[in-house]
Amino acid sequence: MKHLGRVLTSFGLVCALFDVQPSQAVSKFKTETKVVSCSKNEQSQGSAHISKQLNAFNSRNFAKAYSFASKEFRSSKTSKQFEEIITTKYSMLLNFKNFKVTSCDKGGQFFMFTLELLDKKGSAWEVRYLLSNTNGVWGVEAAAVSPIDSPKLKA
């Protein structure tokens, strides 16, 4: 079992790639008393959801990328606001070369995925995604991005 504090401290780097205050999902994740590693099935399904959103970003299909956000997120930001935030602050997501999911932790119905992403300029980034899974429906709640000095992925 992993301690929730470690997961949330690292996630708190930038909380909310999507330019929102920590959502109710983050608050709920914080109140979970037990955080465990995801099952293989949960990691596979969540990783596929993230991959679809990242591929939509890479092809500049903002409407599709927005569709992978949770219902809660979509109720707080319009598609246009979402596009503006991504294009002005997070261009590495629009120009990535490859990525790899490195971990997944679960707290209740929320999942913290950590990825390593290489952009086309050769820079490496750690991306932390907070996903929810409500009645089998995955949704991106928030994300944080920070640079990596010594990437494991090769360009």
Side-chain angles (χ1 to χ4, degrees):
M1 178 170 37
K2 297 178 182 174
H3 284 289
L4 177 60
R6 189 182 117 236
V7 173
L8 290 173
T9 298
S10 58
F11 182 69
L13 297 171
V14 180
C15 192
L17 157 71
F18 304 126
D19 204 32
V20 294
Q21 294 299 316
S23 66
Q24 288 178 328
V26 174
S27 298
K28 290 176 185 176
F29 195 80
K30 285 181 181 179
T31 62
E32 293 295 330
T33 58
K34 184 171 142 180
V35 175
V36 297
S37 293
C38 300
S39 70
K40 287 182 182 181
N41 189 45
E42 291 164 338
Q43 183 159 348
S44 176
Q45 290 178 6
S47 295
H49 192 79
I50 291 167
S51 179
K52 290 174 187 175
Q53 186 180 55
L54 287 173
N55 287 327
F57 282 142
N58 217 18
S59 64
R60 303 283 197 287
N61 187 337
F62 293 102
K64 187 172 184 177
Y66 182 73
S67 74
F68 294 103
S70 69
K71 182 178 179 180
E72 179 183 293
F73 177 84
R74 290 190 315 264
S75 71
S76 70
K77 295 286 182 198
T78 67
S79 177
K80 193 69 175 165
Q81 290 171 317
F82 175 75
E83 180 177 346
E84 183 177 327
I85 292 163
I86 299 303
T87 57
T88 60
K89 298 181 181 178
Y90 301 98
S91 62
M92 76 288 290
L93 298 179
L94 304 175
N95 296 298
F96 74 89
K97 187 173 184 175
N98 61 1
F99 69 93
K100 179 181 179 182
V101 174
T102 59
S103 69
C104 174
D105 295 308
K106 177 183 179 179
Q109 69 183 27
F110 299 99
F111 300 80
M112 186 74 66
F113 284 80
T114 303
L115 293 73
E116 185 173 316
L117 180 138
L118 292 177
D119 68 22
K120 291 179 182 173
K121 295 177 183 176
S123 298
W125 305 90
E126 180 179 77
V127 184
R128 292 190 180 266
Y129 265 91
L130 180 66
L131 273 64
S132 59
N133 185 329
T134 307
N135 299 321
V137 178
W138 290 91
V140 176
E141 299 286 342
V145 178
S146 59
I148 299 174
D149 291 331
S150 301
K152 294 177 185 169
L153 279 177
K154 302 298 178 204

